Amino acid sequence: MDSDRKRKTLTPGKTIGLFLGSLLLAFGLVVPASASAAVGPIYYGTVNGVSFSAQSGETSSSGYQVATTYLTRSSGTFPSGWAGSQARMYYSTGSLYTSNSMTYNGGAASTWNSSLGAGASGSFYSQGITHHWNGSGYNAAYPARSPNQSS
């Protein structure tokens, strides 16, 4: 490898773009140029010696909304069953619009994300929940909400 090259890392903003782009390609969806996305501040935590970060993101495009909750281990991988993620979408007024169920990683993983989409117009934000195994049960973490997104 050329010593002048710098290692590139993915920021949460780039990760949301890659994740949503791969979903769109996988399902053959086309997003108009008017699509927008936003992520909330990163939440950092440590449970049972495992450090992680979590973040909520919202994407909107012409009457369609996607809420995503991102969970990333700071180094290494989460052991099987250690990490849980749930996406929740809210109206900008604070009322819950929809959510999915908490899902847990079934094998070793460095990230564990949860997304849900809904055909909806208006202004929405995402604020998910993550679960972390503490040795005898799960601790919940609540990443800050994403900024409002309108479609």
Side-chain angles (χ1 to χ4, degrees):
M1 185 161 127
D2 184 0
S3 61
D4 292 335
R5 287 185 168 171
K6 291 184 179 180
R7 184 178 174 158
K8 294 185 178 187
T9 58
L10 289 177
T11 63
K14 289 179 185 174
T15 302
I16 189 172
L18 288 172
F19 177 74
L20 292 173
S22 63
L23 280 178
L24 295 173
L25 286 174
F27 293 104
L29 300 174
V30 177
V31 175
S34 63
S36 62
V39 292
I42 299 173
Y43 173 96
Y44 296 95
T46 302
V47 174
N48 203 23
V50 177
S51 296
F52 64 90
S53 63
Q55 193 170 27
S56 296
E58 182 77 17
T59 303
S60 66
S61 174
S62 300
Y64 195 77
Q65 299 281 333
V66 177
T68 304
T69 302
Y70 304 93
L71 178 58
T72 304
R73 173 121 188 222
S74 297
S75 65
T77 58
F78 295 119
S80 180
W82 191 93
S85 182
Q86 178 185 23
R88 298 184 304 166
M89 185 184 304
Y90 291 85
Y91 291 105
S92 61
T93 59
S95 299
L96 181 65
Y97 177 72
T98 188
S99 66
N100 60 9
S101 299
M102 182 69 65
T103 58
Y104 297 90
N105 65 313
S110 60
T111 61
W112 190 250
N113 304 327
S114 179
S115 292
L116 66 89
S121 294
S123 184
F124 298 86
Y125 67 89
S126 170
Q127 186 172 26
I129 302 172
T130 59
H131 278 182
H132 315 275
W133 184 252
N134 64 23
S136 61
Y138 288 96
N139 288 12
Y142 301 88
R145 62 177 273 181
S146 71
N148 291 341
Q149 292 294 296
S150 298
S151 64

